[in-house]
Amino acid sequence: MNLESKIVHIGINSDKKTGAISTPIYNTASFAHPALGKSTGFDYTRSKNPTRQVVEDGIALLENGSDGFAFSSGMAAITTVLMLYKTGDHIILADDCYGGTYRLFNKLFTNYGISFSVVDTSSAKLTAAAIKENTKAIFIETPTNPMMKITDIAALAGICKEHNMQLIVDNTFLTPYFQRPLELGADIVVHSGTKYLAGHNDLLCGVIVTRENTIGEKIRFLQNATGNMLSPNDSWLLIRGLKTLGLRMEKHNENAGKIAKWLSTQPHITNVYYPGLLTHPGKKIHDKQASGCGGIISFAVDDAARVPQILSRVKFIQFAESLGGVESLITFPACQTHMDIPLKIRQQLGITDKLLRLSVGIENSQDIIDDLQQALQ
């Protein structure tokens, strides 16, 4: 079955007794036991719920993994992954990552004796050089947020295998529709499901998919032990959002390609960061491992004073944090999503007071361009 069909058929007729096309919402905390020592497979919703199981099995199918898990947020998912490690362990983290991920490493898990190094993982050589005797994992985003740097997943998977480490990939930007890191050798994939998977700016959720059941069982234990799972109602919303993932990603991709090219021609724009552009330094690697470029564009303007001008003048595009919804959103990473990144690192990466990040929606592309044009004038 093609991926587009797999997406649409998540949860269809999952309730064999009724034949319901739409997955029912099993809004119950407890399940009755048939007899002493017997179970229907469901005992308590924290451990397992039929609605959540549908979305967890579905995302595992799309990522081609062994086990899928749905959490209350993307950060809850990443937190659970980091709980696989213990005091004394070292993790390599992509230097250009979401600010919340950096904050989690720097301000929380360091308190428990887990150390980390920030590395430009788009360079396999620099990444390999950062490995220590106690390094247990490499955590990457590709494309990165917000500078859209590309990391060679297969190359880093090979390095991890050689050193008996795990490769963790945040696949939020591209989703399994455009990129499947587990097929390239990654061990764990995480998503802020709030973004493209749910797709409508109305649901907070996170996802983990593992390549092998041995890691999956550890995640399952942590999910149940900490109680950090997605509710039945929100699981149903995620299922519904996933149904249109293929259609939405195609439109995001189409629109972003047009808008990135247009931005590249504008006199007040000095840099456009989008892997679909021929000038992108990581395009060759990106095209090797992904089938699309997604809907996120970052761009720098010629004058910092132009940033508040754009943010105050956009009318069609919404000035808001987050990304991946059907509506176009624009944000200012240096003061919003990446404020927890130290200033020196932000400046080295290019996350300056001139950088904006655009989450391109599925509206008519010309309407998005027209709004940007009037805001730039």
Side-chain angles (χ1 to χ4, degrees):
M1 188 185 296
N2 290 321
L3 185 62
E4 295 91 337
S5 298
K6 289 180 181 178
I7 290 169
V8 173
H9 279 252
I10 290 175
I12 284 184
N13 197 14
S14 60
D15 187 337
K16 299 298 182 183
K17 290 183 179 179
T18 65
I21 297 299
S22 176
T23 299
I25 302 174
Y26 290 89
N27 214 1
T28 179
S30 300
F31 302 84
H33 300 293
L36 182 64
K38 294 185 179 181
S39 171
T40 61
F42 299 94
D43 301 311
Y44 189 57
T45 279
R46 173 165 51 80
S47 302
K48 196 176 182 182
N49 178 278
T51 312
R52 191 173 78 241
Q53 183 179 356
V54 166
V55 76
E56 290 179 333
D57 290 347
I59 193 64
L61 177 70
L62 300 185
E63 285 281 12
N64 197 19
S66 64
D67 301 273
F69 306 90
F71 293 82
S72 56
S73 70
M75 294 315 302
I78 295 174
T79 297
T80 303
V81 168
L82 294 185
M83 290 176 74
L84 292 170
Y85 307 100
K86 63 183 187 299
T87 299
D89 288 347
H90 171 256
I91 299 174
I92 294 171
L93 175 65
D95 59 353
D96 179 36
C97 66
Y98 169 53
T101 302
Y102 183 89
R103 178 177 59 225
L104 189 67
F105 274 84
N106 189 49
K107 295 188 176 180
L108 183 61
F109 277 90
T110 51
N111 294 331
Y112 303 106
I114 296 176
S115 62
F116 73 102
S117 298
V118 175
V119 177
D120 180 2
T121 56
S122 66
S123 167
K125 184 177 180 180
L126 288 176
T127 306
I131 295 172
K132 304 178 181 180
E133 288 186 6
N134 60 334
T135 304
K136 302 299 181 182
I138 301 174
F139 189 109
I140 69 170
E141 298 173 5
T142 184
T144 58
N145 180 9
M147 301 308 295
M148 307 302 287
K149 293 197 292 186
I150 305 300
T151 293
D152 189 326
I153 298 172
L156 260 60
I159 291 172
C160 285
K161 186 176 181 180
E162 180 183 349
H163 291 84
N164 194 28
M165 303 186 309
Q166 293 165 346
L167 178 60
I168 307 158
V169 181
D170 187 328
N171 200 30
T172 297
F173 273 19
L174 293 185
T175 83
Y177 188 76
F178 283 143
Q179 180 173 266
R180 290 177 293 283
L182 300 180
E183 295 179 359
L184 298 167
D187 299 286
I188 302 170
V189 164
V190 297
H191 291 265
S192 174
T194 306
K195 312 306 192 291
Y196 288 108
L197 296 184
H200 293 80
N201 289 323
D202 60 2
L203 172 62
L204 199 66
C205 60
V207 164
I208 296 173
V209 182
T210 59
R211 181 162 57 91
E212 296 180 351
N213 185 252
T214 51
I215 300 177
E217 286 304 312
K218 293 178 182 178
I219 296 293
R220 182 170 286 105
F221 170 82
L222 290 168
Q223 184 188 49
N224 182 56
T226 60
N228 236 337
M229 74 292 300
L230 198 61
S231 72
N233 286 279
D234 286 346
S235 294
W236 185 86
L237 282 172
L238 180 52
I239 294 167
R240 186 175 67 169
L242 278 168
K243 298 280 189 175
T244 58
L245 178 65
L247 293 171
R248 289 186 285 106
M249 292 308 292
E250 289 287 355
K251 185 62 174 176
H252 287 301
N253 191 71
E254 177 188 341
N255 280 354
K258 293 177 182 178
I259 292 162
K261 289 177 182 177
W262 177 83
L263 284 168
S264 300
T265 68
Q266 300 308 297
H268 297 301
I269 305 298
T270 58
N271 286 292
V272 180
Y273 305 95
Y274 185 67
L277 294 174
L278 295 175
T279 53
H280 192 287
K283 189 177 190 310
K284 184 176 180 180
I285 293 173
H286 180 83
D287 289 349
K288 179 183 69 172
Q289 65 191 18
S291 59
C293 300
I296 303 299
I297 304 169
S298 292
F299 62 94
V301 294
D302 55 358
D303 186 346
R306 208 172 295 281
V307 168
Q309 170 194 314
I310 293 169
L311 296 177
S312 65
R313 287 186 181 181
V314 286
K315 301 173 183 177
F316 185 79
I317 302 166
Q318 300 300 302
F319 173 30
E321 294 189 44
S322 198
L323 57 95
V326 292
E327 305 90 356
S328 293
L329 306 178
I330 193 167
T331 192
F332 184 29
C335 289
Q336 292 181 293
T337 56
H338 289 70
M339 196 169 183
D340 280 302
I341 305 289
L343 177 61
K344 183 178 179 180
I345 296 177
R346 289 204 310 265
Q347 291 177 335
Q348 288 173 347
L349 292 170
I351 308 173
T352 68
D353 56 359
K354 298 179 182 180
L355 185 79
L356 290 165
R357 190 191 70 191
L358 178 66
S359 174
V360 178
I362 66 170
E363 307 100 336
N364 182 280
S365 60
Q366 191 58 50
D367 289 330
I368 302 171
I369 289 172
D370 289 346
D371 196 27
L372 287 170
Q373 189 165 41
Q374 65 83 24
L376 279 163
Q377 289 176 348

